[in-house]
Amino acid sequence: MSYEIVKASYDRCCESGDFFETFYEIFLSKSPEIAEKFKNTDFKKQKSHIKASIAMMIRLGKGDAKAYEAIERVGVSHSKSQFDIEPRFYELWFDSFCEAAVKHDKEWNEKLKLIWKERLQDGIKVITDKY
Ligand code: HEM
């Protein structure tokens, strides 16, 4: 049930136009350390990577093995020896995601936020466990 709710919310975000533009604008403004990490990033590519990987995080809870492997790969690229994304940044990532969703999902509310949080926390754990 929560899968369908989150999937529908994500579809509304993706169809609203510029959701990922809003997300990165908010996320990069959260801390100079985050902005620094993305200083050489091609955002056209990055937006399509993040769009696909959030879809994988949503599928994770359904016991989808392909989704699990994809999220593990994100964990490897974000680990200390590669992009070096400390686990403390993921809370700001989630806050930024929700702030962007407030603007792009017209059905957003606090209850939906909790359902999203529950859905994404497993994926975030898979990623941060690889740090
Ligand atoms: C659940 C949260 C996140 C997901 C799903 C995610 C996903 C991704 C994906 C799919 C890529 C493309 C490269 C790859 O496939 O590994 C990427 C790149 C990157 N991510 Fe994340 N990410 C997350 C959180 C973060 C956080 C918290 C930071 C902190 C600053 C971050 C920083 C970066 C950087 C610096 C890159 C490389 C950008 C470049 O190519 O210049 N990510 N991320």
Side-chain angles (χ1 to χ4, degrees):
M1 185 62 182
S2 82
Y3 170 80
E4 277 78 17
I5 293 171
V6 167
K7 169 85 171 59
S9 169
Y10 193 49
D11 288 346
R12 289 191 295 275
C13 288
C14 292
E15 285 158 16
S16 69
D18 291 337
F19 173 73
F20 297 97
E21 180 77 31
T22 306
F23 167 72
Y24 278 111
E25 213 171 88
I26 296 170
F27 186 44
L28 268 61
S29 75
K30 291 281 182 201
S31 133
E33 289 172 288
I34 294 175
E36 173 69 18
K37 295 269 181 207
F38 287 101
K39 68 174 191 286
N40 297 316
T41 299
D42 172 345
F43 276 96
K44 196 163 175 258
K45 285 194 190 144
Q46 183 61 22
K47 284 185 224 165
S48 96
H49 289 313
I50 198 74
K51 183 178 181 187
S53 62
I54 292 173
M56 291 295 169
M57 302 239 289
I58 295 172
R59 277 166 51 185
L60 199 64
K62 296 183 86 181
D64 184 323
K66 279 215 167 74
Y68 191 82
E69 284 162 23
I71 298 307
E72 270 195 326
R73 282 196 294 275
V74 174
V76 171
S77 70
H78 288 58
S79 67
K80 194 167 173 55
S81 61
Q82 297 196 30
F83 302 152
D84 191 12
I85 309 303
E86 289 171 51
R88 66 187 166 99
F89 287 124
Y90 291 84
E91 203 173 319
L92 293 174
W93 186 95
F94 180 73
D95 291 346
S96 307
F97 179 86
C98 295
E99 287 170 39
V102 168
K103 296 184 177 179
H104 288 265
D105 177 1
K106 54 185 187 325
E107 294 179 38
W108 187 263
N109 58 52
E110 283 302 305
K111 194 170 161 224
L112 185 53
K113 179 176 174 173
L114 290 177
I115 301 172
W116 262 106
K117 187 167 191 166
E118 219 166 75
R119 266 278 144 185
L120 293 183
Q121 68 194 7
D122 291 349
I124 291 175
K125 185 165 187 323
V126 171
I127 296 171
T128 53
D129 278 354
K130 293 254 168 221
Y131 182 73

